[in-house]
Amino acid sequence: MADQTLDATDHEILALLREDARRTLSDIATRVTLSTAAVKRRIDRLQELGVILGYTVQLDHAKLGWPVEAFIELRFLGTSNVDEIVQTTTRMPEAQAVFTIAGDPDALVWMRVRDMAHLQRTIDEIRRSHRVTSTKTLIALDSWQRGVK
């Protein structure tokens, strides 16, 4: 879908929802100077267009006992296909996201773990895959994400 189907008000509504997806329709309506019904129609349209895919909750992973974030670069045998690359880590509860990459490395995996020992066990598990030829791990010291407080 081309961005031309969205106007400035749609983008403003999306920004408000990214900031707080539980924001009421009346609050959004006040901020974008539309009626509540008009805001609901716009949000419904954004969902129908596939711009809004769903709503989620943001968690404090440190309070849940998974405070360490790491990114692991993975290199695979040249005969590995993209599905095999993705499946190597998606079954692991530590994996938050897998990005396949054009070039070197083949994939970047975002992980969350409890501590360094847990990270080591996770890396060892990945390395046991017969298709992974090497890994490189980067540990995040801090992070920022758009729309995340």
Side-chain angles (χ1 to χ4, degrees):
M1 185 202 76
D3 190 42
Q4 296 86 356
T5 60
L6 304 182
D7 64 17
T9 303
D10 290 327
H11 285 285
E12 192 174 352
I13 290 170
L14 291 170
L16 290 166
L17 288 172
R18 275 193 305 268
E19 187 179 285
D20 181 0
R22 291 181 49 168
R23 190 181 298 275
T24 65
L25 293 175
S26 62
D27 180 57
I28 295 170
T30 299
R31 293 170 186 264
V32 299
T33 62
L34 290 175
S35 70
T36 302
V39 168
K40 176 155 182 16
R41 282 192 301 274
R42 282 177 178 259
I43 291 173
D44 289 345
R45 182 177 61 83
L46 291 167
Q47 290 172 334
E48 289 169 13
L49 289 171
V51 174
I52 296 175
L53 299 175
Y55 300 87
T56 187
V57 62
Q58 296 171 9
L59 303 173
D60 184 330
H61 293 280
K63 289 181 181 174
L64 293 171
W66 295 65
V68 179
E69 284 183 279
F71 295 87
I72 304 173
E73 294 180 0
L74 301 179
R75 287 163 186 79
F76 287 79
L77 292 172
T79 57
S80 301
N81 65 42
V82 173
D83 288 340
E84 291 172 310
I85 292 170
V86 172
Q87 290 172 3
T88 299
T89 56
T90 54
R91 72 189 186 306
M92 303 174 77
E94 296 86 356
Q96 303 299 300
V98 179
F99 305 91
T100 53
I101 300 170
D104 184 41
D106 297 305
L108 181 65
V109 182
W110 171 27
M111 294 283 190
R112 282 196 181 276
V113 294
R114 290 182 291 278
D115 52 35
M116 291 301 120
H118 185 193
L119 179 59
Q120 182 176 341
R121 288 189 307 275
T122 302
I123 293 167
D124 288 344
E125 182 180 344
I126 291 169
R127 288 179 177 166
R128 279 192 293 273
S129 164
H130 299 294
R131 303 200 69 76
V132 174
T133 60
S134 71
T135 64
K136 177 181 175 183
T137 303
L138 307 158
I139 298 171
L141 300 177
D142 198 3
S143 66
W144 173 88
Q145 292 179 45
R146 186 169 310 283
V148 177
K149 294 179 183 180

